[in-house]
Every structure is written in structure tokens, then in C-alpha cells.
């Protein structure tokens, strides 16, 4: 047979065979003593480490989470049907890892890095799912804005690159939509996005991936998915995997946006795991280390100094509340860990104010440091005006007689509320946001009927895009609004108003 082989190849194979050394890998073998509900108790594995991957028979993997004196408790990552008592289990000596790298862009993977989109994945590198958060000395203050494209957020609750901003609200209040819109808005920026879904329906995940693909956002996005039918251990691992994937890009100097949708389901998965492992339950039956679970995850988002490649990971964790109760255990924990929250209110959502951001309860602790120059200039007192309006609106409901200054305030408030309404998947550019708020500041909308506002702004945008395209692209690129630009825009407003007809 070798006669047919070209000389070069046979020589190469011979050389490889000569060079080959046989090394022995030593595995520890243990025995499953008890199994059920996705959890296994194992004896005879005294050297097992915390978080070590264990291989059961039939290539089923598990993770060691309870290390006791004479036995260990492990959660099973895949289906647990094939793990039975007295079967052998091997300690692999490795912790759970995930593939990282550019090859993941545009892909959908599960928490242990297996592709879910039916295509092969050739990983470049692996990172452990659990890693230490960057040290204080390696970080730098947050100063660059991350544009969400949502006017109400960019103007009043600005998010900076490296910040952790919680999106909190009841079910079906548009939480996921805000996160997805933010991902869509990164299309023309250099931000890489990682979307991690925990415990959602497989159908909604596939719908979401379709949306990302349709809008052209998939090429710069990685989706990590643990569906509701996956084991609690998989759901527990998912956000840590997403964090490791983000960190790889951050270490290469890229800015990354990671969405954890949602951490309430993550907490529930961890509670299930802990209860099955017989850990003592604490408040609301969550285990004692539930705060540590989320804090060590969210601490991994950071804005790195120039000496450490200067990348950043911005996190948008999502929490679902029950009947608007933000003082429950998990919501308060995550509120205290993050650098601010966007609070979505069901009442606003149903009254048609979408996105349903409650500006009174929403904050960004990084504040204006993370806002672009143009926004800083035009968004000055919006929050105060809006809260004054909400207060007045309650009183105005009772009496019909209001003095002229109150009537003006009410009208301005109505205009602002209307301007903040924004459809799903239609993010604004910096220029568009600046134009709306500058026009509002200059009372351009005051004599327009509320129901015609949308039509007016659309026509205004079209006019400006046609006649002021140079100004538009310069503001979009620099994010700044100079005195001259402002004067030019004001002139444009008066020209447009002269020609506007319904
Ligand atoms: P869940 O609790 O199920 O995760 P959620 O809070 O993530 O829900 P979404 O799924 O984002 O909410 O949105 C709920 C519904 O509201 C969707 O049907 C979506 O189309 C609609 N919606 C969200 N934002 C807007 C918007 N700005 N304008 C119009 N409709 C919207
Ligand atoms: Mg959702």
C-alpha cells in the first residue's frame, strides 16, 4: 500500500510517528451513588475540584458543585435519563469551558458551546465559563456613550460603554424590545453584541434570531441560548458563558454589549439546582449565595484602561418583576449591583406610551459623563419638565380651569410624552435625536396638533436629510453640536415650518 504513496507524504508520516510520544492521562473514577431530578451524588472522587466537569457513561456531562467530606454533589448538564446508580463517572480535571473568538459571530450556541443553528463551529480558543472580574487597577472611568437609539433613554438615562444598566419591569412591558433595539442600533458602530437568553421558549428565541438576521444585526452578534426545556444547570451556566465570550472581544480592545435576558429566570434555575443539592434555603427559598451569583457575573462588565487594550463590556441585565414590586429579593439585589435601572411600567405600556419608561424611577448612576456632546446640550431639563408635567396632569384631571402658565406646561408635557413614543425596531440616529430635542427646546412643535406630531417629525427628518445631509453626517459622526450647527438647524426649522402643510 505504501508503494502508492508519494514519497513526501510517507516521509512526513514516518517523521510524525518517530516524534510521537505516548503520554498517559490519569483520570479519577468515581461511582454514582444516587441520582434523580438532574442531580447526582458521587463517591470515591476525593480530588474533585469545585466546578469540575464530570463525564458520566454515555458521554453525559455534569458539573461538581457540592464538595463534601466523603461524597460530592453534581448537576447533570444534559438529560439525566442515562445516568444510573453504580455507574462510573470520570473527573476530567477541567472546568466548564466555552469556545470564544471571531468564529462565533453570527452564531447561536448553547451554554457549553455546541452550535444550535445546524452549522459546524470551528473554535479558535476556549475560555472557562467562570473567570475573575477585571481588577480595579485595570479599569478606567466610563466616558464613552453607548447609543441605544431610543430617545427617552439616550436623553434622560444615558448608558456608557462599560456600564451595567438594569432593565426592569413586569412581564410583557417591552424589556426584551429595548435590549434588541439597542443591539440593532449598533449596526453602524463598532460594538459587538452578545445576547444571552435564559429559560425562554425556543420559539421566541428563533423569532428573535430571525429579527436580528432580517435587520442585518446577526453578523456582529452572538446568541447564547438556554431554553426553558434545558436543565437548570445549563440555564445557570448561560450568562457566564456569554460573559466569557464578551471578555474575549474586550481583551482584543473591542467594545461589547451583553444582554442577559433574564436574570430572574437565572435566579430561579439556580434556586432549583441548590434545592436539589439540598442546600439550605434562605429568603424566598433562594440559597444564601444568590447575591454573590449575580454580583460576580455583573462585575465582569468593565471599561478597561488603555494599558489593558481599552475594550469594554456593557451589560444590560433584565429582571422581571411581579405586579411592579421592585422591592422583592432578586430585583433589589440586582438594582444594588448595577449602575442604574430603566424601569418599565405596565400602566404606561397599556396607555400607549411605548417604550414605557418611568422616568421618575429610572436612573443612570454614571450620568452625563456617558452622554455625547449634542445630547448634553439639548437634553438639559427634560427630566424635571416631565416630572412636573406628570404631577400637574394629575391635578388638571379634577378641575377644568387652569391658568395660562399651567396650560402651557401641560401642552409642553403632552408634546414631550408624544415625542418619546417610539416604535419597536426603529432606532433614531444621534442627529435625529438632537433635531427632535432642539426643536422641542425652540418651541417648534407648540402649534402643531398632538396627533400630527409624528407626521411633522417624519417630514422634518426627510427635509433635513435632503437639504442638510452634510450637517447630519457631521453630527452623527462627531456626536457634537456646535453653536454654528445649532444656528443652522434653527434656521432650517423656520424654513421647514413655513413650507409644512398637513
Ligand atoms: P416578557 O415578559 O414576555 O419577556 P418583555 O417585557 O420582554 O416580555 P417584549 O417581548 O419586548 O416584552 O414586548 C412585549 C410586546 O410589546 C411585544 O408584542 C412587542 O411587540 C410589544 N412592544 C414592545 N415595545 C414596543 C414599542 N415600542 N412599540 C410597540 N410595541 C411594542
Ligand atoms: Mg422578554
Amino acid at each position: 500500500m505504501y508503494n502508492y504513496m508519494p514519497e513526501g507524504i510517507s516521509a512526513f508520516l514516518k517523521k510524525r510517528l518517530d516524534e510521537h510520544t505516548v503520554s498517559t492521562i490519569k483520570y479519577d473514577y468515581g461511582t454514582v451513588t444516587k441520582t434523580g431530578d438532574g442531580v447526582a451524588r458521587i463517591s470515591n472522587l476525593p480530588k474533585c475540584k469545585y466546578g469540575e466537569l464530570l463525564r458520566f457513561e454515555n458521554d453525559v456531562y455534569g458539573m461538581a458543585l457540592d464538595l463534601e467530606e466523603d461524597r460530592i454533589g453534581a448537576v447533570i448538564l444534559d438529560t439525566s435519563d442515562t445516568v444510573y446508580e453504580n455507574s462510573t463517572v470520570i473527573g476530567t480535571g477541567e472546568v466548564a469551558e466555552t469556545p470564544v473568538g471571531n468564529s462565533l459571530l453570527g452564531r447561536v450556541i448553547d451554554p457549553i458551546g455546541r452550535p444550535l443553528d445546524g452549522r459546524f463551529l470551528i473554535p479558535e480558543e476556549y475560555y472557562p465559563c467562570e473567570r475573575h472580574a477585571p481588577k480595579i487597577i485595570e479599569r478606567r472611568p466610563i466616558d464613552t456613550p453607548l447609543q441605544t437609539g431610543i430617545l427617552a433613554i439616550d436623553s434622560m438615562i444615558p448608558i456608557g460603554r462599560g456600564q451595567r444598566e438594569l432593565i426592569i419591569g413586569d412581564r410583557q412591558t417591552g424589556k426584551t424590545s429595548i435590549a434588541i433595539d439597542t443591539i440593532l442600533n449598533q449596526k453602524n458602530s463598532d460594538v459587538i453584541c452578545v445576547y444571552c437568553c435564559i429559560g425562554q421558549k425556543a420559539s421566541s428565541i428563533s423569532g428573535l434570531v430571525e429579527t436580528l438576521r432580517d435587520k442585518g444585526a446577526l453578523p456582529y452578534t452572538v446568541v447564547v441560548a438556554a431554553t426553558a426545556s434545558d436543565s437548570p444547570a445549563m440555564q445557570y451556566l448561560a450568562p457566564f458563558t456569554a460573559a466569557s465570550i464578551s471578555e474575549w472581544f474586550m481583551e482584543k480592545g473591542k467594545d461589547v454589549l451583553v444582554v442577559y435576558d433574564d436574570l430572574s429566570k437565572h435566579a430561579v434555575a439556580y434556586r432549583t439546582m441548590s434545592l436539589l443539592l439540598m442546600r439550605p434555603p434562605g429568603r424566598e427559598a433562594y440559597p444564601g449565595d444568590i447575591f454573590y451569583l449575580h454580583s460576580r457575573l455583573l462585575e465582569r462588565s468593565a471599561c478597561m484602561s488603555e494599558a489593558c487594550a481599552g475594550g469594554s463590556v456593557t451589560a444590560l441585565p433584565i429582571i422581571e418583576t411581579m405586579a411592579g414590586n421592585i422591592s422583592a429579593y432578586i430585583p433589589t439585589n440586582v438594582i444594588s449591583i448595577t449602575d442604574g435601572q430603566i424601569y418599565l411600567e405596565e400602566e404606561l405600556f397599556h396607555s400607549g406610551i411605548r417604550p414605557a419608561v418611568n422616568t421618575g424611577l429610572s436612573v443612570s448612576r454614571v450620568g452625563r459623563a456617558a452622554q455625547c456632546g449634542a445630547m448634553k446640550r439639548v437634553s438639559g431639563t427634560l427630566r424635571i419638565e416631565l416630572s412636573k408635567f406628570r404631577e400637574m396632569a394629575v391635578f388638571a384631571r379634577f378641575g377644568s380651569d387652569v391658568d395660562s402658565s399651567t396650560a402651557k406646561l401641560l401642552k409642553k408635557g403632552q408634546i414631550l410624552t408624544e415625542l418619546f413614543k417610539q416604535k419597536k425596531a426603529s432606532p433614531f440616529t444621534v442627529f435625529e435625536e438632537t433635531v427632535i430635542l432642539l426643536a422641542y427646546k425652540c418651541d417648534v412643535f407648540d402649534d402643531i396638533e398632538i396627533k400630527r406630531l409624528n407626521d411633522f417629525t417624519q417630514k422634518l427628518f426627510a427635509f433635513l436629510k435632503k437639504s442638510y445631509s452634510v450637517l447630519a453626517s457631521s453630527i452623527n459622526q462627531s456626536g457634537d453640536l456646535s453653536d454654528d450647527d445649532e444656528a443652522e438647524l434653527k434656521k432650517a426649522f423656520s424654513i421647514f415650518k413655513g413650507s409644512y402643510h398637513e
Side-chain angles (χ1 to χ4, degrees), residues 175-177 195 200 261-262 318:
K175 304 182 295 296
T176 306
S177 302
Y195 179 77
Q200 294 184 29
D261 192 1
D262 64 65
I318 295 179

mmCIF file of all heavy atoms in Angstrom, residues 175-177 195 200 261-262 318, ligand 2:
data_model
loop_
_atom_site.group_PDB
_atom_site.id
_atom_site.type_symbol
_atom_site.label_atom_id
_atom_site.label_comp_id
_atom_site.label_asym_id
_atom_site.label_seq_id
_atom_site.Cartn_x
_atom_site.Cartn_y
_atom_site.Cartn_z
ATOM 1 N N LYS A 175 -39.379 44.822 27.728
ATOM 2 C CA LYS A 175 -37.984 44.741 28.213
ATOM 3 C C LYS A 175 -37.061 44.223 27.124
ATOM 4 O O LYS A 175 -36.034 44.833 26.804
ATOM 5 C CB LYS A 175 -37.886 43.822 29.443
ATOM 6 C CG LYS A 175 -38.786 44.217 30.590
ATOM 7 C CD LYS A 175 -38.612 43.316 31.789
ATOM 8 C CE LYS A 175 -39.034 41.877 31.559
ATOM 9 N NZ LYS A 175 -40.478 41.689 31.263
ATOM 10 N N THR A 176 -37.442 43.066 26.552
ATOM 11 C CA THR A 176 -36.619 42.475 25.504
ATOM 12 C C THR A 176 -36.505 43.429 24.312
ATOM 13 O O THR A 176 -35.428 43.562 23.727
ATOM 14 C CB THR A 176 -37.226 41.132 25.054
ATOM 15 O OG1 THR A 176 -37.393 40.322 26.214
ATOM 16 C CG2 THR A 176 -36.351 40.419 24.068
ATOM 17 N N SER A 177 -37.601 44.114 23.997
ATOM 18 C CA SER A 177 -37.589 45.019 22.840
ATOM 19 C C SER A 177 -36.533 46.103 23.000
ATOM 20 O O SER A 177 -35.855 46.453 22.034
ATOM 21 C CB SER A 177 -38.954 45.669 22.658
ATOM 22 O OG SER A 177 -39.905 44.675 22.500
ATOM 23 N N TYR A 195 -26.097 38.249 22.965
ATOM 24 C CA TYR A 195 -27.430 38.178 23.553
ATOM 25 C C TYR A 195 -27.577 36.814 24.216
ATOM 26 O O TYR A 195 -27.421 35.781 23.569
ATOM 27 C CB TYR A 195 -28.495 38.379 22.465
ATOM 28 C CG TYR A 195 -29.892 38.305 23.001
ATOM 29 C CD1 TYR A 195 -30.443 39.365 23.688
ATOM 30 C CD2 TYR A 195 -30.648 37.151 22.861
ATOM 31 C CE1 TYR A 195 -31.730 39.291 24.207
ATOM 32 C CE2 TYR A 195 -31.936 37.071 23.374
ATOM 33 C CZ TYR A 195 -32.459 38.140 24.040
ATOM 34 O OH TYR A 195 -33.718 38.065 24.566
ATOM 35 N N GLN A 200 -36.105 30.920 28.123
ATOM 36 C CA GLN A 200 -37.199 31.379 27.256
ATOM 37 C C GLN A 200 -37.653 30.246 26.355
ATOM 38 O O GLN A 200 -36.952 29.259 26.199
ATOM 39 C CB GLN A 200 -36.734 32.537 26.385
ATOM 40 C CG GLN A 200 -36.413 33.774 27.180
ATOM 41 C CD GLN A 200 -36.047 34.930 26.271
ATOM 42 O OE1 GLN A 200 -36.508 35.020 25.151
ATOM 43 N NE2 GLN A 200 -35.188 35.789 26.761
ATOM 44 N N ASP A 261 -30.990 38.030 29.339
ATOM 45 C CA ASP A 261 -32.457 38.067 29.299
ATOM 46 C C ASP A 261 -33.030 36.735 29.783
ATOM 47 O O ASP A 261 -33.083 35.791 29.014
ATOM 48 C CB ASP A 261 -32.892 38.375 27.856
ATOM 49 C CG ASP A 261 -34.367 38.722 27.753
ATOM 50 O OD1 ASP A 261 -35.016 38.736 28.798
ATOM 51 O OD2 ASP A 261 -34.844 38.969 26.639
ATOM 52 N N ASP A 262 -33.505 36.476 31.000
ATOM 53 C CA ASP A 262 -33.414 37.459 32.036
ATOM 54 C C ASP A 262 -32.854 36.820 33.309
ATOM 55 O O ASP A 262 -32.881 35.599 33.465
ATOM 56 C CB ASP A 262 -34.787 38.118 32.280
ATOM 57 C CG ASP A 262 -35.859 37.201 32.799
ATOM 58 O OD1 ASP A 262 -35.714 36.714 33.921
ATOM 59 O OD2 ASP A 262 -36.831 36.963 32.088
ATOM 60 N N ILE A 318 -31.653 41.938 32.525
ATOM 61 C CA ILE A 318 -33.099 42.169 32.564
ATOM 62 C C ILE A 318 -33.681 41.433 33.761
ATOM 63 O O ILE A 318 -33.265 40.310 34.060
ATOM 64 C CB ILE A 318 -33.752 41.669 31.247
ATOM 65 C CG1 ILE A 318 -33.232 42.515 30.077
ATOM 66 C CG2 ILE A 318 -35.270 41.716 31.322
ATOM 67 C CD1 ILE A 318 -33.768 42.125 28.727
HETATM 68 MG MG1 LIG B 2 -38.680 39.370 27.257
#
